Amino acid sequence: MAGEIVNVTWTDIVRLVDEHPRITAGRFQIDAARGGVSAAGAVPNPTLEGTVGQGLARAGGDPRVEWGLALTMPLGWIAQRGSRVDAAEAEVDVAFGENEVLRRDVLLQLRTLFWTLASEQSRVSSLSALEAETLALVHTVRKRVEMGEARSVEAIRVEIEIEKITSELEAARTSLSARQAELALWLGDFAGKTLVAVADLDALPTPVDRDTALGKARATHPALTVARARTRVLEAEVGTERMARVPSIGLAGFTTNELDRRAYGAGLAVDLPLWSWNSGRIAQAEAKLAAGRKQAEATGLELETSVLDVQAACQASVLTATRFRNNVVPRSETAASMMEKTYHLGEASLLEVIDARRTLLDSRRLYLSALTQAQIDCSRLGALVGEDVK
């Protein structure tokens, strides 16, 4: 049994989208990246070493406990700190960009579900109206058969027709129920409720022209932000590897308490790059950077290709739906109406009436499919150019 009916607009869905689990996961990724910035800039801890032992004098005497302490402060991290922090900050930008990509993907998924639900609602409504009209025709045919104005086979034919329409209506209602449950599942907090999409499916969107779509996509699409941020990460890694050639220095202070003396002092440790000047790692980082730049270039080309494809699909779908709305469906309705009136006057056969009604049903089905496709294709375009994402 259907639960409470809840009307849902697209604005309502946009308000709820930030609670989607994929978006929530993206926010945690951003928090993790921010933590990486703090870790990259952190000062490493000093090292404290301690020794203790039993000391015995060679010339005799009582044994005594000897001990020593040494505190070492590493300084080699200073040379690489700047580039490591730059890389971590770029990773934050990557996380932000990827989260925005996720948000657009989720919004497109929900937008597709929303328009599919609206389409199923219209389909059920159209079939319900057609079922009522066909039932009226059934009663008319039965009366004509009873009055001897039509053969009994015509009643059978029209009863078969109503069975076909009823079966299609039942299938449409089942599909509608599935779409309602699917959207409710993704939105959450709607368990046991029946969602009704409040939308004007017939209000066709205005396609963005090609040049405008390309310009908006280049300026706003987060995939390009991610690609540029990844390139910055690779640039910072090259800097880190180059600074690794700087000798690592460590300062140490110590104190020892021995059997016959007590000493204090300081030490200096230097990592000498005698066997390796890090050439291999630098070459590797530079090659990765070159690959990253080409990948960013490829990302831009792929985005522009997608925009061209989706913009054409949106425009074509809108034109198709417009043609069906203005030409095909009205003519099919006129033909079906005229044929039914002619049948009542006894000037047309029942088969001609059924054929006209089937043509009308097919026209409405194709028109509804074209409307849905236009809304979905233009929603895809909107996701690419940054419209309808807030």
Side-chain angles (χ1 to χ4, degrees), residues 203-208 311-326 367 370-371 373-375 377-378:
L204 290 169
T206 301
V208 180
Q311 191 276 338
C314 171
Q315 188 171 1
S317 298
V318 170
L319 290 174
T320 300
T322 301
R323 186 173 295 277
F324 269 94
R325 180 184 61 192
N326 296 340
Y367 173 51
L371 279 176
Q373 192 63 46
Q375 296 289 358
D377 286 341
C378 292

Side-chain angles (χ1 to χ4, degrees), residues 109 117 134 143 196 213 244 262 274 337 353 363 365 373 390:
Q109 177 190 22
L117 175 57
T134 307
K143 287 182 180 179
V196 176
R262 185 165 186 175
L274 296 178
S337 177
V353 175
S363 297
R365 185 189 296 112
Q373 192 63 46
K390 299 298 181 183

